[in-house]
Amino acid sequence: DDATLLSWKKDPRNPISLHQTDGTPVTRGFAGPSNLWRTPAGALTFAMQLGGSIARFESDEASLHNWTLADPAFYAHGGHGGHGASGLAFFELPTAGGAADAGPYTHWLGNLWADGTSAGTQYVVLGRYGADGTFANVSAPQPIESSQVVVFGTMQCTDGRCIHLAWFNVGGSCLTVPRELTYAYSAATGEGRMLALPVKELTTLRNASLGVRTSTTVDAAHPLAAFDTTSTTFDFEAELSLPVNGSATVALLAASPSVAEVLLTINTTTLPGYTTYSVSAEVPFATTATYNTTLAFNMSDATLPLRVVADRTLVEVFLGGGRGVVSTPVLVPGKSPDNGGVFFAAPAAPFTVASASAWEMGCGWAAPQRL
Protein backbone atom coordinates (compact mmCIF):
# COMPACT_ATOMS: atom_id res chain seq x y z
CA ASP A 1 0.00 0.00 0.00
CA ASP A 2 3.07 2.29 -0.30
CA ALA A 3 2.70 4.55 -3.32
CA THR A 4 6.50 4.65 -3.74
CA LEU A 5 6.70 0.82 -3.79
CA LEU A 6 9.58 0.93 -1.28
CA SER A 7 7.89 -0.78 1.66
CA TRP A 8 6.59 -4.32 1.16
CA LYS A 9 4.89 -6.96 3.32
CA LYS A 10 3.87 -10.49 2.47
CA ASP A 11 0.30 -10.78 1.20
CA PRO A 12 -1.46 -13.45 3.29
CA ARG A 13 -3.46 -14.38 0.18
CA ASN A 14 -0.36 -15.49 -1.71
CA PRO A 15 0.02 -16.91 -4.29
CA ILE A 16 -1.31 -14.21 -6.57
CA SER A 17 -4.68 -14.85 -8.17
CA LEU A 18 -4.83 -15.33 -11.96
CA HIS A 19 -8.08 -15.17 -13.95
CA GLN A 20 -9.36 -15.50 -17.48
CA THR A 21 -11.21 -12.45 -18.82
CA ASP A 22 -14.52 -14.07 -17.79
CA GLY A 23 -13.29 -14.51 -14.21
CA THR A 24 -12.48 -18.23 -14.50
CA PRO A 25 -9.43 -18.99 -12.31
CA VAL A 26 -6.16 -19.98 -13.98
CA THR A 27 -4.82 -22.70 -11.71
CA ARG A 28 -2.14 -24.67 -13.59
CA GLY A 29 0.35 -24.67 -16.46
CA PHE A 30 2.01 -21.38 -15.53
CA ALA A 31 5.42 -20.41 -14.10
CA GLY A 32 8.21 -17.85 -14.34
CA PRO A 33 6.72 -14.33 -14.20
CA SER A 34 8.72 -11.56 -15.80
CA ASN A 35 9.50 -8.07 -14.58
CA LEU A 36 6.58 -5.63 -14.37
CA TRP A 37 5.97 -2.85 -16.88
CA ARG A 38 3.13 -0.58 -17.96
CA THR A 39 1.27 -1.00 -21.24
CA PRO A 40 0.84 1.99 -23.59
CA ALA A 41 -2.64 2.32 -22.06
CA GLY A 42 -1.14 2.51 -18.57
CA ALA A 43 -2.07 -0.92 -17.17
CA LEU A 44 0.43 -2.75 -14.98
CA THR A 45 1.43 -5.97 -16.73
CA PHE A 46 3.87 -8.89 -16.84
CA ALA A 47 4.58 -11.90 -19.07
CA MET A 48 4.60 -15.52 -17.91
CA GLN A 49 4.55 -19.05 -19.31
CA LEU A 50 1.02 -20.38 -19.74
CA GLY A 51 0.61 -23.74 -21.42
CA GLY A 52 2.59 -23.79 -24.65
CA SER A 53 2.80 -20.01 -24.96
CA ILE A 54 4.04 -17.00 -23.07
CA ALA A 55 1.03 -14.97 -21.99
CA ARG A 56 0.57 -11.42 -20.72
CA PHE A 57 -1.42 -10.58 -17.59
CA GLU A 58 -2.73 -7.19 -16.39
CA SER A 59 -3.84 -5.79 -13.04
CA ASP A 60 -5.76 -2.62 -12.25
CA GLU A 61 -5.69 -2.85 -8.46
CA ALA A 62 -3.25 -1.31 -6.02
CA SER A 63 -2.68 -4.56 -4.12
CA LEU A 64 -1.18 -6.27 -7.21
CA HIS A 65 -3.00 -9.44 -6.12
CA ASN A 66 -5.54 -10.11 -8.87
CA TRP A 67 -4.31 -10.46 -12.43
CA THR A 68 -6.34 -10.99 -15.61
CA LEU A 69 -5.18 -12.79 -18.73
CA ALA A 70 -4.85 -10.04 -21.34
CA ASP A 71 -3.09 -11.89 -24.17
CA PRO A 72 -2.76 -15.71 -24.05
CA ALA A 73 -0.27 -15.71 -26.95
CA PHE A 74 1.89 -12.65 -26.26
CA TYR A 75 4.68 -14.86 -27.63
CA ALA A 76 3.18 -18.07 -28.97
CA HIS A 77 6.14 -20.32 -28.10
CA GLY A 78 8.34 -21.27 -25.20
CA GLY A 79 5.71 -21.98 -22.55
CA HIS A 80 6.45 -25.71 -22.25
CA GLY A 81 3.42 -26.16 -20.01
CA GLY A 82 4.99 -24.08 -17.27
CA HIS A 83 8.15 -26.22 -17.26
CA GLY A 84 10.35 -23.99 -19.44
CA ALA A 85 12.60 -21.13 -18.44
CA SER A 86 11.78 -19.08 -15.37
CA GLY A 87 12.22 -15.38 -14.75
CA LEU A 88 11.32 -13.96 -18.17
CA ALA A 89 12.52 -10.47 -19.08
CA PHE A 90 10.78 -7.92 -21.33
CA PHE A 91 12.40 -4.57 -22.01
CA GLU A 92 12.90 -1.85 -24.58
CA LEU A 93 15.89 -2.50 -26.83
CA PRO A 94 19.11 -0.92 -25.47
CA THR A 95 20.38 0.63 -28.71
CA ALA A 96 23.86 2.13 -28.65
CA GLY A 97 23.11 4.63 -31.41
CA GLY A 98 19.46 5.44 -30.67
CA ALA A 99 16.69 5.05 -33.23
CA ALA A 100 19.17 4.75 -36.11
CA ASP A 101 20.31 1.39 -34.71
CA ALA A 102 16.84 0.05 -33.98
CA GLY A 103 16.01 -1.50 -37.34
CA PRO A 104 12.61 -3.24 -37.40
CA TYR A 105 12.35 -3.89 -33.64
CA THR A 106 11.56 -1.95 -30.47
CA HIS A 107 11.64 -4.50 -27.59
CA TRP A 108 13.10 -7.83 -26.57
CA LEU A 109 11.82 -10.83 -24.64
CA GLY A 110 14.53 -12.83 -22.89
CA ASN A 111 15.27 -15.87 -20.73
CA LEU A 112 13.48 -18.09 -23.21
CA TRP A 113 13.73 -21.81 -23.47
CA ALA A 114 13.84 -21.78 -27.26
CA ASP A 115 12.13 -24.64 -29.07
CA GLY A 116 14.55 -27.28 -30.29
CA THR A 117 17.38 -26.26 -27.98
CA SER A 118 18.77 -27.58 -24.73
CA ALA A 119 20.75 -24.49 -23.71
CA GLY A 120 17.79 -23.14 -21.79
CA THR A 121 17.49 -19.55 -20.76
CA GLN A 122 20.17 -17.80 -22.80
CA TYR A 123 17.89 -16.96 -25.73
CA VAL A 124 16.05 -13.78 -26.68
CA VAL A 125 13.57 -12.80 -29.37
CA LEU A 126 13.19 -9.30 -30.83
CA GLY A 127 9.92 -7.71 -31.88
CA ARG A 128 7.72 -4.62 -32.06
CA TYR A 129 5.66 -3.71 -29.03
CA GLY A 130 2.50 -2.04 -30.27
CA ALA A 131 0.16 0.59 -28.88
CA ASP A 132 -2.38 -2.19 -28.34
CA GLY A 133 0.04 -4.12 -26.10
CA THR A 134 0.85 -6.85 -28.61
CA PHE A 135 4.33 -8.15 -29.42
CA ALA A 136 4.57 -8.57 -33.21
CA ASN A 137 7.09 -9.03 -36.04
CA VAL A 138 9.00 -11.33 -33.72
CA SER A 139 12.43 -12.61 -34.77
CA ALA A 140 13.67 -16.16 -34.52
CA PRO A 141 15.24 -17.00 -31.13
CA GLN A 142 18.87 -15.92 -30.94
CA PRO A 143 21.40 -16.90 -28.29
CA ILE A 144 23.21 -14.38 -26.12
CA GLU A 145 25.36 -17.27 -24.88
CA SER A 146 25.98 -20.34 -27.04
CA SER A 147 27.35 -22.66 -24.37
CA GLN A 148 25.10 -25.39 -23.01
CA VAL A 149 26.67 -25.14 -19.55
CA VAL A 150 25.54 -21.57 -18.83
CA VAL A 151 22.00 -21.58 -17.44
CA PHE A 152 19.46 -19.68 -15.32
CA GLY A 153 20.34 -16.19 -16.47
CA THR A 154 18.87 -13.13 -14.82
CA MET A 155 18.45 -9.87 -16.72
CA GLN A 156 17.57 -6.36 -15.63
CA CYS A 157 17.42 -3.06 -17.50
CA THR A 158 17.79 0.13 -15.46
CA ASP A 159 18.82 3.66 -16.44
CA GLY A 160 19.46 2.64 -20.03
CA ARG A 161 21.68 -0.36 -19.18
CA CYS A 162 20.70 -4.03 -19.55
CA ILE A 163 22.74 -6.38 -17.34
CA HIS A 164 22.86 -10.16 -17.69
CA LEU A 165 24.26 -12.54 -15.09
CA ALA A 166 24.08 -16.33 -15.33
CA TRP A 167 25.09 -19.56 -13.62
CA PHE A 168 27.96 -21.60 -15.03
CA ASN A 169 26.96 -25.15 -14.17
CA VAL A 170 29.91 -27.58 -14.31
CA GLY A 171 31.01 -29.63 -11.29
CA GLY A 172 29.26 -27.22 -8.98
CA SER A 173 28.22 -23.72 -9.89
CA CYS A 174 29.72 -20.28 -10.18
CA LEU A 175 28.60 -17.05 -11.79
CA THR A 176 29.68 -15.65 -15.12
CA VAL A 177 31.07 -12.14 -15.16
CA PRO A 178 28.26 -9.58 -15.35
CA ARG A 179 27.53 -8.81 -18.99
CA GLU A 180 25.93 -5.77 -20.56
CA LEU A 181 23.48 -6.32 -23.39
CA THR A 182 23.15 -3.85 -26.24
CA TYR A 183 21.31 -4.11 -29.53
CA ALA A 184 22.71 -3.38 -32.98
CA TYR A 185 21.14 -3.48 -36.41
CA SER A 186 23.26 -3.92 -39.55
CA ALA A 187 21.89 -2.73 -42.87
CA ALA A 188 24.66 -4.72 -44.60
CA THR A 189 23.55 -8.06 -43.14
CA GLY A 190 19.89 -7.10 -42.63
CA GLU A 191 20.25 -8.52 -39.15
CA GLY A 192 19.31 -7.18 -35.74
CA ARG A 193 21.24 -8.79 -32.93
CA MET A 194 21.61 -8.54 -29.18
CA LEU A 195 25.26 -8.17 -28.20
CA ALA A 196 26.77 -9.26 -24.88
CA LEU A 197 30.10 -8.01 -23.48
CA PRO A 198 31.57 -7.85 -19.97
CA VAL A 199 30.39 -4.77 -18.10
CA LYS A 200 32.78 -1.84 -18.40
CA GLU A 201 33.42 -1.95 -14.62
CA LEU A 202 35.31 -5.24 -15.05
CA THR A 203 38.34 -3.30 -16.28
CA THR A 204 38.81 -1.90 -12.75
CA LEU A 205 39.99 -5.38 -11.71
CA ARG A 206 42.88 -5.31 -14.17
CA ASN A 207 46.29 -5.45 -12.53
CA ALA A 208 49.70 -5.64 -14.18
CA SER A 209 50.03 -5.79 -17.95
CA LEU A 210 50.95 -9.24 -19.25
CA GLY A 211 52.04 -7.88 -22.60
CA VAL A 212 51.10 -5.94 -25.72
CA ARG A 213 51.37 -6.89 -29.40
CA THR A 214 51.11 -4.49 -32.32
CA SER A 215 50.30 -5.59 -35.86
CA THR A 216 51.86 -9.03 -36.39
CA THR A 217 51.46 -11.59 -39.17
CA VAL A 218 50.81 -15.20 -38.18
CA ASP A 219 51.62 -17.89 -40.71
CA ALA A 220 51.67 -21.68 -40.60
CA ALA A 221 55.34 -21.83 -39.62
CA HIS A 222 55.27 -19.11 -36.97
CA PRO A 223 52.59 -19.32 -34.25
CA LEU A 224 52.36 -16.22 -32.05
CA ALA A 225 52.34 -16.02 -28.26
CA ALA A 226 49.94 -13.16 -27.51
CA PHE A 227 51.83 -12.14 -24.38
CA ASP A 228 55.07 -13.10 -22.66
CA THR A 229 54.08 -13.56 -19.00
CA THR A 230 51.73 -16.44 -18.23
CA SER A 231 48.83 -16.13 -15.82
CA THR A 232 45.91 -18.39 -14.91
CA THR A 233 43.67 -15.33 -14.42
CA PHE A 234 43.63 -12.72 -17.18
CA ASP A 235 41.58 -10.30 -19.27
CA PHE A 236 42.59 -10.31 -22.94
CA GLU A 237 41.62 -8.15 -25.93
CA ALA A 238 42.66 -8.52 -29.57
CA GLU A 239 41.71 -7.47 -33.10
CA LEU A 240 42.13 -10.06 -35.87
CA SER A 241 42.21 -9.51 -39.62
CA LEU A 242 41.47 -12.80 -41.35
CA PRO A 243 41.85 -13.50 -45.08
CA VAL A 244 38.94 -14.11 -47.44
CA ASN A 245 37.53 -17.57 -46.70
CA GLY A 246 40.36 -18.02 -44.19
CA SER A 247 40.81 -19.47 -40.74
CA ALA A 248 42.65 -19.02 -37.46
CA THR A 249 43.11 -20.99 -34.26
CA VAL A 250 43.41 -19.50 -30.79
CA ALA A 251 44.64 -21.52 -27.80
CA LEU A 252 43.42 -20.23 -24.42
CA LEU A 253 44.93 -21.00 -21.01
CA ALA A 254 47.62 -22.65 -23.08
CA ALA A 255 51.20 -23.85 -22.85
CA SER A 256 51.54 -23.99 -26.66
CA PRO A 257 49.37 -23.57 -29.77
CA SER A 258 48.16 -27.18 -29.35
CA VAL A 259 48.14 -27.68 -25.55
CA ALA A 260 45.36 -25.65 -24.02
CA GLU A 261 42.25 -25.68 -21.88
CA VAL A 262 40.22 -24.24 -24.78
CA LEU A 263 40.96 -24.30 -28.51
CA LEU A 264 39.06 -21.87 -30.74
CA THR A 265 38.84 -22.47 -34.48
CA ILE A 266 37.54 -19.50 -36.46
CA ASN A 267 36.57 -19.89 -40.12
CA THR A 268 35.40 -17.12 -42.43
CA THR A 269 33.02 -17.23 -45.38
CA THR A 270 33.11 -14.02 -47.37
CA LEU A 271 29.80 -12.85 -48.86
CA PRO A 272 28.86 -9.61 -50.66
CA GLY A 273 28.97 -6.87 -48.04
CA TYR A 274 29.76 -8.99 -45.00
CA THR A 275 31.57 -12.02 -43.58
CA THR A 276 30.15 -15.04 -41.77
CA TYR A 277 32.32 -16.24 -38.90
CA SER A 278 31.90 -19.89 -37.90
CA VAL A 279 33.50 -20.72 -34.56
CA SER A 280 34.09 -23.93 -32.65
CA ALA A 281 35.26 -23.94 -29.05
CA GLU A 282 36.79 -27.29 -28.12
CA VAL A 283 37.70 -28.33 -24.58
CA PRO A 284 40.44 -30.97 -25.08
CA PHE A 285 39.97 -32.42 -21.58
CA ALA A 286 36.18 -32.61 -22.03
CA THR A 287 34.38 -35.52 -20.42
CA THR A 288 31.12 -34.68 -22.19
CA ALA A 289 30.32 -33.24 -25.61
CA THR A 290 28.21 -30.48 -24.03
CA TYR A 291 31.42 -28.70 -22.99
CA ASN A 292 32.23 -28.11 -26.68
CA THR A 293 30.39 -25.38 -28.56
CA THR A 294 29.80 -24.19 -32.11
CA LEU A 295 28.36 -20.84 -33.16
CA ALA A 296 28.16 -18.46 -36.11
CA PHE A 297 27.48 -14.77 -36.69
CA ASN A 298 27.75 -12.14 -39.43
CA MET A 299 29.84 -8.97 -39.50
CA SER A 300 30.46 -6.21 -42.03
CA ASP A 301 33.50 -4.86 -40.12
CA ALA A 302 37.02 -5.29 -41.48
CA THR A 303 38.46 -6.81 -38.30
CA LEU A 304 37.21 -9.31 -35.73
CA PRO A 305 37.30 -8.18 -32.07
CA LEU A 306 38.12 -10.88 -29.52
CA ARG A 307 37.74 -10.58 -25.74
CA VAL A 308 38.61 -13.36 -23.29
CA VAL A 309 38.13 -13.41 -19.53
CA ALA A 310 39.83 -16.49 -18.09
CA ASP A 311 40.35 -17.80 -14.59
CA ARG A 312 40.89 -21.09 -12.77
CA THR A 313 37.27 -22.18 -13.19
CA LEU A 314 35.97 -21.00 -16.53
CA VAL A 315 36.92 -19.25 -19.75
CA GLU A 316 34.48 -16.71 -21.21
CA VAL A 317 34.96 -15.74 -24.85
CA PHE A 318 33.31 -12.76 -26.59
CA LEU A 319 33.70 -12.58 -30.37
CA GLY A 320 32.67 -9.92 -32.84
CA GLY A 321 31.86 -7.26 -30.27
CA GLY A 322 29.57 -9.66 -28.40
CA ARG A 323 27.84 -11.26 -31.39
CA GLY A 324 29.17 -14.65 -30.39
CA VAL A 325 29.61 -15.64 -26.74
CA VAL A 326 30.74 -18.97 -25.35
CA SER A 327 31.89 -20.14 -21.91
CA THR A 328 33.82 -23.33 -21.29
CA PRO A 329 35.09 -25.08 -18.16
CA VAL A 330 38.67 -25.28 -16.97
CA LEU A 331 38.82 -29.00 -16.26
CA VAL A 332 42.36 -29.39 -14.88
CA PRO A 333 42.90 -26.17 -12.89
CA GLY A 334 46.35 -25.95 -11.36
CA LYS A 335 47.46 -29.25 -12.88
CA SER A 336 49.59 -27.49 -15.50
CA PRO A 337 50.72 -24.14 -14.08
CA ASP A 338 52.35 -23.26 -17.41
CA ASN A 339 48.91 -23.26 -19.09
CA GLY A 340 48.47 -19.53 -18.71
CA GLY A 341 49.04 -18.10 -22.15
CA VAL A 342 47.24 -17.33 -25.41
CA PHE A 343 48.63 -18.53 -28.75
CA PHE A 344 47.56 -17.76 -32.33
CA ALA A 345 48.20 -20.18 -35.19
CA ALA A 346 47.38 -20.19 -38.90
CA PRO A 347 46.15 -23.57 -40.23
CA ALA A 348 46.52 -22.35 -43.82
CA ALA A 349 46.81 -18.80 -45.19
CA PRO A 350 48.46 -16.17 -42.98
CA PHE A 351 46.36 -13.72 -40.99
CA THR A 352 47.12 -10.59 -38.99
CA VAL A 353 46.80 -9.91 -35.27
CA ALA A 354 46.21 -6.18 -35.59
CA SER A 355 46.59 -5.66 -31.83
CA ALA A 356 46.59 -7.65 -28.60
CA SER A 357 46.74 -6.68 -24.93
CA ALA A 358 46.40 -8.68 -21.73
CA TRP A 359 46.17 -7.92 -18.03
CA GLU A 360 46.41 -10.05 -14.94
CA MET A 361 43.13 -9.93 -13.04
CA GLY A 362 42.56 -9.07 -9.40
CA CYS A 363 40.06 -10.77 -7.13
CA GLY A 364 36.41 -9.90 -7.75
CA TRP A 365 35.37 -10.93 -4.24
CA ALA A 366 37.43 -8.41 -2.26
CA ALA A 367 35.98 -7.40 1.09
CA PRO A 368 33.96 -4.17 0.80
CA GLN A 369 35.55 -1.06 2.22
CA ARG A 370 33.92 0.14 5.43
CA LEU A 371 32.69 3.73 5.22
Side-chain angles (χ1 to χ4, degrees):
D1 58 1
D2 178 6
T4 65
L5 301 183
L6 293 176
S7 178
W8 295 79
K9 62 183 178 182
K10 183 177 171 119
D11 187 334
R13 299 175 299 170
N14 271 350
I16 61 174
S17 183
L18 306 174
H19 302 278
Q20 303 277 356
T21 53
D22 63 1
T24 305
V26 177
T27 59
R28 61 189 305 167
F30 61 89
S34 74
N35 55 294
L36 301 177
W37 76 92
R38 289 199 180 274
T39 68
L44 200 61
T45 187
F46 70 83
M48 183 167 64
Q49 299 170 69
L50 181 65
S53 300
I54 291 172
R56 185 175 63 82
F57 292 83
E58 291 184 0
S59 179
D60 60 0
E61 61 174 37
S63 70
L64 307 183
H65 180 75
N66 289 294
W67 294 83
T68 301
L69 179 62
D71 185 351
F74 183 68
Y75 174 62
H77 305 280
H80 294 271
H83 298 286
S86 61
L88 298 170
F90 184 75
F91 292 102
E92 189 174 351
L93 284 172
T95 54
D101 280 349
Y105 306 118
T106 63
H107 287 69
W108 62 282
L109 177 66
N111 258 12
L112 298 175
W113 191 329
D115 291 334
T117 72
S118 58
T121 59
Q122 312 312 309
Y123 281 77
V124 302
V125 291
L126 314 173
R128 296 196 70 84
Y129 186 49
D132 58 355
T134 59
F135 189 49
N137 192 31
V138 180
S139 72
Q142 59 175 251
I144 54 173
E145 159 70 58
S146 294
S147 168
Q148 296 186 52
V149 293
V150 172
V151 296
F152 306 126
T154 181
M155 307 180 195
Q156 180 63 43
C157 294
T158 306
D159 297 330
R161 298 184 71 187
C162 289
I163 306 301
H164 172 228
L165 188 66
W167 286 102
F168 179 82
N169 195 27
V170 174
S173 294
C174 67
L175 293 174
T176 63
V177 298
R179 302 166 179 182
E180 183 162 359
L181 306 180
T182 57
Y183 169 78
Y185 174 74
S186 169
T189 65
E191 183 179 67
R193 196 174 187 96
M194 195 72 83
L195 314 179
L197 285 171
V199 295
K200 59 186 178 183
E201 291 82 358
L202 192 71
T203 61
T204 64
L205 297 179
R206 289 174 176 174
N207 286 335
S209 171
L210 295 173
V212 175
R213 291 281 185 268
T214 55
S215 183
T216 306
T217 298
V218 180
D219 58 39
H222 300 92
L224 174 68
F227 46 88
D228 300 321
T229 305
T230 60
S231 175
T232 55
T233 303
F234 58 80
D235 189 2
F236 175 69
E237 294 184 353
E239 291 275 346
L240 309 183
S241 180
L242 275 64
V244 172
N245 299 324
S247 61
T249 62
V250 188
L252 304 172
L253 280 180
S256 71
S258 59
V259 178
E261 283 290 341
V262 182
L263 289 171
L264 296 181
T265 301
I266 306 170
N267 294 298
T268 67
T269 301
T270 305
L271 299 167
Y274 66 94
T275 299
T276 295
Y277 292 89
S278 302
V279 182
S280 67
E282 177 191 356
V283 181
F285 300 102
T287 56
T288 170
T290 61
Y291 295 169
N292 301 321
T293 308
T294 59
L295 63 150
F297 55 89
N298 300 324
M299 284 188 68
S300 56
D301 306 56
T303 59
L304 175 69
L306 172 66
R307 175 85 178 270
V308 180
V309 180
D311 66 22
R312 299 171 184 86
T313 304
L314 73 159
V315 175
E316 299 179 64
V317 181
F318 305 85
L319 296 122
R323 288 170 175 80
V325 182
V326 62
S327 302
T328 63
V330 176
L331 296 179
V332 287
K335 182 177 180 180
S336 302
D338 292 334
N339 288 12
V342 173
F343 290 84
F344 294 105
F351 67 92
T352 300
V353 177
S355 64
S357 300
W359 300 264
E360 195 171 40
M361 290 294 283
C363 178
W365 303 105
Q369 180 180 1
R370 291 187 179 275
L371 300 178

